[in-house]
Each structure stands twice: as C-alpha cells, then as structure tokens.
Amino acid sequence: MRSEVLPPSGGAPALTVRHTTVADPLARPLLDELTHEYTDRYGSSSDLYGYPAAEFAPPDGAFVLLLEGGAAIAGGAFRRHESAGPPTAELKRIWTHSAHRRRGLARRVLLVLEREAAARGYARLFLTTGPRQPEAKGLYLAAGYRPLFDVGADPETIGLLPFEKRLDGSERRAP
C-alpha cells in the first residue's frame, strides 16, 4: 500500500490518497454503504461482489480511498476491460460517503483513477452506471466522459448506461 497527499482544491482540504485493496478495513464502511444504496435502488447489490478482488490490484487494476482524518470518505477502482481497440480500464465502485457529498470528492477520485490508469498504459476508460443513478450520470458527463447511449432516452429503457473517455488524446471517430 502506498499513500500520497492531494493538495487542497476549491476550498476542500488536503486529502490522503491510499492505494490499497478491496480488503482494506478502511474500505468497509464505504462498501457497506454502497451495498445498502444499490439494494435500495435496484433490489440487489450483486454487482459489487461479482469480481475477484485481484482484478482491482496491480498490475492491471487499482483500488483507491480518499482519506480525511484517517477515515475513508470516498473511493473507487479500475480493472482491465477486455475490448477491441486500445488498452482499456473499466472504472468501478466510485463512491462518496453520504456524510461527505457535494464536495467534489467523486471528481477527485476520477482524477486519481484517470492518472493511475494512464500511468499503467491504458489509453481508454470505460464504465457503466445504473439507470437510477442520475447523479453519477451527471458526474461522468461533466467530467468529459462520452455517453455510448442516447442521453435523451429514458434511462430505464436502456439499462446500464455506458460511457468512455480516451486518455491518449485521440478521439473516436464515427465510421
């Protein structure tokens, strides 16, 4: 495990980034709250437990926590995503503890994960979010992720909402 300090941003205090594993005891409160949230919104939290923890560990993956005062207040992960085209990482489990929302923490988690994925040689990020998570959809759109679905359609008719972002500076062109 390694740590780094994120400088203050937009009035937010400096935070510690902990590069760790899904099994880190500091992650448990965040993952428990995420489990509860998924169960409330979708009736199940099975997506959280469908992947081996090793997929979120180096060399192909990462799991990070943002710490404030030694407690995890936000976090996220990526794993290798098999797809045609450039090397792709899939973002998963981006979450801010409910007591710390509206502080730009999820955006800071995204920046850490983007930087880490690029450093590991990934050229593209992919993610999906559920149709009942409008705040997540808004975050990804605001952070420059390209929707791979019709943003004007009712999300419930689409199912999972896929997004991508190029890290290598290239833009995907329509055929």
Side-chain angles (χ1 to χ4, degrees):
M1 287 181 251
R2 65 183 168 92
S3 296
E4 64 184 279
V5 176
L6 286 181
S9 172
L15 300 169
T16 300
V17 177
R18 183 176 175 120
H19 299 261
T20 187
T21 68
V22 175
D24 188 324
L26 286 174
R28 182 56 31 214
L30 281 179
L31 294 175
D32 286 348
E33 191 179 54
L34 183 55
T35 297
H36 179 74
E37 185 76 20
Y38 278 15
T39 301
D40 280 355
R41 290 190 192 205
Y42 300 107
S44 170
S45 62
S46 62
D47 182 61
L48 287 176
Y49 305 102
Y51 306 97
E55 290 188 14
F56 301 105
D60 295 329
F63 186 82
V64 300
L65 298 172
L66 293 189
L67 306 179
E68 184 176 71
I73 60 172
F78 68 79
R79 68 189 194 108
R80 177 172 295 285
H81 180 73
E82 297 303 327
S83 65
T88 301
E90 179 181 18
L91 298 179
K92 301 293 284 180
R93 300 177 180 158
I94 295 170
W95 188 251
T96 300
H97 188 281
S98 60
H100 298 278
R101 294 194 178 137
R102 311 298 303 161
R103 295 175 47 192
L105 297 172
R107 181 68 180 114
R108 293 181 86 181
V109 169
L110 277 177
L111 290 171
V112 168
L113 293 172
E114 289 171 2
R115 185 183 73 222
E116 185 76 17
R120 301 247 189 109
Y122 290 109
R124 176 180 173 258
L125 292 173
F126 173 80
L127 67 92
T128 59
T129 193
R132 297 179 189 159
Q133 294 171 262
E135 54 286 283
K137 177 182 169 186
L139 167 68
Y140 301 128
L141 289 171
Y145 285 75
R146 187 171 74 89
L148 301 175
F149 60 94
D150 178 359
V151 293
D154 176 1
E156 290 288 335
T157 66
I158 299 170
L160 291 177
L161 308 177
F163 291 86
E164 74 173 353
K165 185 173 189 178
R166 300 298 293 244
L167 297 175
D168 61 3
S170 69
E171 292 298 321
R172 184 174 178 199
R173 307 233 187 270

